[in-house]
Amino acid sequence: MKLAAELLNQSQDTRGPLIVVLGASGFLGPAVIDRLAGLPVRVRAVARGASPVPPRSVAGIEGCRTDLARPGALAAAVEGADAVVHLAAHAGGDRSWRAAGEDSERVNVGLMRDLVTAFEGRDAPAPAVVFASTVQAGGSGDHPRAAYARQKIAAEELLREATARGTVRGVVLRLSTVYGRAPLTGSPGRGVLAAMARRALDGAPLTMWHDGTVERDFLHVRDAARAFVTALDHLPHLQGGDWSVGSGNRVRLGDVFRSLADAVAERTGRPPVPVLSVEPPDFAEAGDFHTPECDPAAFGAVTGWTPSVPLHEGLDELVAALVAAEASTSRER
């Protein structure tokens, strides 16, 4: 791993540039910190909860526990930053992005506004800001977007305007569906694949709100984390743009759910649970029946980044982690 000489030389501190990770204790945050740990940098891991620290690290890593939604908290968190990896997001309640509302607006849009304001008029080189967005924010817009995607679009525009003013050097990474077992924490996250794997382990059928032909691009969490560090290494060629980041392979949800059922069956010795089509609930949205566009070719051409974790490998790893967690919980009872 390396980091752009420009960023390394920008820092006024002999210990190396300061990279602030917002949302460090979430699903993606620990994976990004794990990648940064091998670089000659300082990392400030910002989150409401405790952030994991790699056992052996080249980087100097400090934790910063705070509620970024509080007035002034974000400005304090990014004080002295040479770069910010903005992963903080509010996806709502049990229904994830479907529940995005006032609280989500404050986090998903308001934090970007606070971040830009914190760097206005700063007597230092413009910091890099790499922002985690979603592929749901791209495309032709020929179908209604969920509130979460609309909020990400608004945050992207704030970052784009600040980059045009020279306040920051912003890069938007529009991620496809991120899944997998996260480094440091081992967390499988709350995404659709983790949810379906848990259902299969419980012996429940895996349900779809369509005929299974809707497609998704699944990006392993380790590959997603590597994309953020790669973006920091290619700032001059990426800043001001939005870049799709995914595996480049779209798969039918029906096929991947059946693969999950088979993987769980192999681990447990039980027959695979059925995969069923059911009537969609009232809160289903147009995006549930739409295949989002995600072509990572442009990002790869500029940076050389390519995904490294095949879906079958990531699914097996995910199921193994859940089986191990279930066994550990059973032993503790």
Side-chain angles (χ1 to χ4, degrees):
M1 291 182 290
K2 60 178 182 174
L3 200 64
E6 177 188 4
L7 191 59
L8 291 171
N9 294 333
Q10 173 179 317
S11 177
Q12 305 297 313
D13 195 300
T14 57
R15 295 171 296 173
L18 173 61
I19 301 175
V20 177
V21 180
L22 303 178
S25 64
F27 179 48
L28 184 52
V32 171
I33 291 171
D34 189 54
R35 296 296 301 183
L36 291 172
L39 301 174
V41 299
R42 294 173 292 144
V43 177
R44 182 180 297 155
V46 182
R48 283 194 296 180
S51 301
V53 177
R56 291 176 294 278
S57 176
V58 174
I61 301 177
E62 63 170 293
C64 175
R65 297 184 67 168
T66 186
D67 182 356
L68 290 172
R70 290 174 40 243
L74 192 140
V78 301
E79 176 68 29
D82 297 293
V84 176
V85 177
H86 185 355
L87 309 174
H90 188 284
D94 291 339
R95 293 176 182 173
S96 188
W97 48 266
R98 300 174 202 290
E102 186 175 337
D103 289 341
S104 298
E105 180 84 17
R106 173 67 190 99
V107 174
N108 297 334
V109 183
L111 291 189
M112 181 62 80
R113 188 176 292 112
D114 292 349
L115 179 61
V116 168
T117 300
F119 290 131
E120 294 282 3
R122 191 175 83 152
D123 186 21
V129 176
V130 185
F131 176 53
S133 188
T134 170
V135 292
Q136 300 285 351
S140 60
D142 57 356
H143 66 282
R145 287 189 171 97
Y148 181 74
R150 295 197 302 271
Q151 290 165 7
K152 287 291 190 179
I153 291 170
E156 288 182 10
E157 185 58 28
L158 289 170
L159 182 60
R160 197 172 294 115
E161 292 171 354
T163 299
R165 294 194 302 270
T167 303
V168 299
R169 294 179 291 162
V171 176
V172 172
L173 298 188
R174 289 177 171 169
L175 305 178
S176 63
T177 305
V178 180
Y179 80 102
R181 178 177 176 272
L184 302 184
T185 63
S187 169
R190 297 189 303 168
V192 62
L193 295 187
M196 289 298 128
R198 289 187 180 99
R199 285 180 64 89
L201 284 168
D202 290 339
L206 309 188
T207 56
M208 305 176 294
W209 302 342
H210 41 70
D211 64 0
T213 59
V214 173
E215 295 177 327
R216 290 290 182 269
D217 180 314
F218 290 103
L219 175 67
H220 197 277
V221 63
R222 293 197 300 271
D223 285 332
R226 191 161 46 83
F228 281 89
V229 177
T230 299
L232 289 172
D233 192 38
H234 294 81
L235 281 170
H237 305 292
L238 298 174
Q239 69 183 59
D242 49 73
W243 305 85
S244 293
V245 178
S247 71
N249 295 311
R250 298 191 314 199
V251 294
R252 292 183 174 188
L253 285 179
D255 293 339
V256 76
F257 283 8
R258 280 184 283 272
S259 294
L260 261 181
D262 290 341
V264 169
E266 185 175 343
R267 290 277 175 179
T268 61
R270 301 193 301 255
V273 298
V275 178
L276 308 175
S277 294
V278 299
E279 287 295 316
D282 293 339
F283 56 81
E285 300 192 8
D288 294 314
F289 313 96
H290 171 75
T291 298
E293 299 173 17
C294 182
D295 184 357
F299 183 72
V302 171
T303 66
W305 175 92
T306 57
S308 62
V309 183
L311 181 58
H312 69 87
E313 180 181 312
L315 291 180
D316 187 63
E317 182 185 78
L318 173 66
V319 170
L322 288 170
V323 168
E326 187 179 73
S328 176
T329 300
S330 297
R331 286 195 297 271
E332 292 172 1
R333 288 173 182 166

